[in-house]
């Protein structure tokens, strides 16, 4: 991917392009298979309902992966992403749409890194990922 | 005849003595096909932004999954997957991981605390390639306590 953002081109307060994605049960099933996390809360709707959810919920790390993709799209690729930290506040239900956002909080030109505050919400406005932070490595220009 | 103590602490409960306990999964070869399926699951109908690149959060597969399977299967620790909540996650990505890489991973119990009948288990994770770090981080899990 072509580098989208540069150290000289970004400022604190800049926002990344939001990434909205509807997470289907097929996607959750595929993630369960590929990741090896087959917890029934993610893949067994009856089990999830017995445990107080409307239905299956997405893996927290699947929602994190979509957030990382949003950051990577802005930063110019996955290899630019240096770190991510999130709190799993609310579950994302199968069929829900997650919207991932980010805002630059600091630019460290000497270190070549940019820090962002990141978050993800559902279409109901529930905070799915909160207290989010990410850091990316960017080219100078 | 011994008296029955209803307040007795269950024999298998995580406590501070478990801090430092480490679970290792060494010599894992990154499977490019599995990483591609992982990437496709994340992308869904939107398609891949970088075909052939292993997404950073594939650390869930090469670092968290094989080590946590051991941790949650550790009968001495006594934390099962039932009722377990993944509360927080931090990853630092030091070097990109590619298909064919051989990764050594470990998870170390960093903290154990009990509050309001729930157990808060903090772990530190690390993955290296030829001794050099590729990924590190922390995770926090919350489990129902052993006490009724």
């Amino acid at each position: 991917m072509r580098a989208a953002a540069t150290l000289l081109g970004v400022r604190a307060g800049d926002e990344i392009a939001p990434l909205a994605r509807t997470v289907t049960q097929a996607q959750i099933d595929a993630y369960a298979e590929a990741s090896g996390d087959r917890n029934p809360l993610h893949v067994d709707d009856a089990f999830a309902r017995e445990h107080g959810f409307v239905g299956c919920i997405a893996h927290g790390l699947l929602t994190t992966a979509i957030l990382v993709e949003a950051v990577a799209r802005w930063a110019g690729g996955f290899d630019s992403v240096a770190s991510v930290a999130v709190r799993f506040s609310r579950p994302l239900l199968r069929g829900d749409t997650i919207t991932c956002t980010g805002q630059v909080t600091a630019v460290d030109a000497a270190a070549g890194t940019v820090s962002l505050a990141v978050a993800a919400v559902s279409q109901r406005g529930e905070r799915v990922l909160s207290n989010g932070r990410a850091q990316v490595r960017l080219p100078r220009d | 005849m011994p008296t029955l103590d209803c307040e007795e602490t269950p024999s298998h409960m995580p406590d501070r003595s478990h801090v430092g306990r480490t679970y290792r999964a060494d010599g894992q070869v990154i499977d490019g096909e599995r990483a591609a399926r992982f990437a496709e699951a994340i992308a869904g109908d939107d398609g891949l932004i970088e075909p052939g690149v292993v997404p950073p959060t594939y650390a869930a597969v090469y670092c968290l999954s094989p080590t946590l399977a051991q941790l949650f299967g550790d009968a001495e620790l006594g934390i099962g997957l039932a009722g377990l909540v993944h509360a927080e996650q931090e990853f630092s990505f030091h070097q990109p991981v590619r298909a064919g890489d051989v990764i050594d991973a470990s998870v170390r119990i960093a903290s154990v605390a009990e509050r309001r009948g729930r157990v808060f288990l903090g772990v530190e994770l690390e993955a290296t390639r030829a001794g050099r770090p590729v990924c590190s981080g922390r995770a926090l899990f919350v489990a129902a306590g052993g006490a009724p």
Side-chain angles (χ1 to χ4, degrees), chain A residues 1-2 4 16 66-81 136, chain B residues 49-50 56:
Chain A
M1 278 181 74
R2 184 181 56 83
I16 73 171
I66 297 170
L67 176 65
V68 166
E69 182 183 321
V71 173
R73 283 171 179 259
W74 176 81
F78 283 130
D79 290 355
S80 302
V81 181
V136 297
Chain B
I49 58 169
E50 291 180 282

Side-chain angles (χ1 to χ4, degrees), chain B residues 15 48 57 62 66-67 73 91 95 106 113 125 129 139 144-145 148:
Chain B
D15 59 48
L48 300 176
T57 57
Y62 67 73
T67 53
F91 286 122
Q95 291 289 330
S106 67
L125 52 116
R129 176 181 51 209

Side-chain angles (χ1 to χ4, degrees), chain B residues 24-28 102-106 128:
Chain B
R24 300 202 60 87
D26 292 335
Q28 300 177 81
V102 180
I103 304 292
D104 299 326
S106 67
T128 61

Side-chain angles (χ1 to χ4, degrees), chain B residues 58-78:
Chain B
Y58 196 65
V61 173
Y62 67 73
C63 189
L64 285 177
S65 183
T67 53
L68 291 178
Q70 297 173 53
L71 186 155
F72 294 122
D74 184 345
E76 288 180 33
L77 194 63

Side-chain angles (χ1 to χ4, degrees), chain A residues 110-127:
Chain A
T113 58
V114 170
S115 300
L116 303 111
V118 291
V121 296
S122 75
Q123 76 279 8
R124 287 181 297 277
E126 295 165 345
R127 294 196 303 171

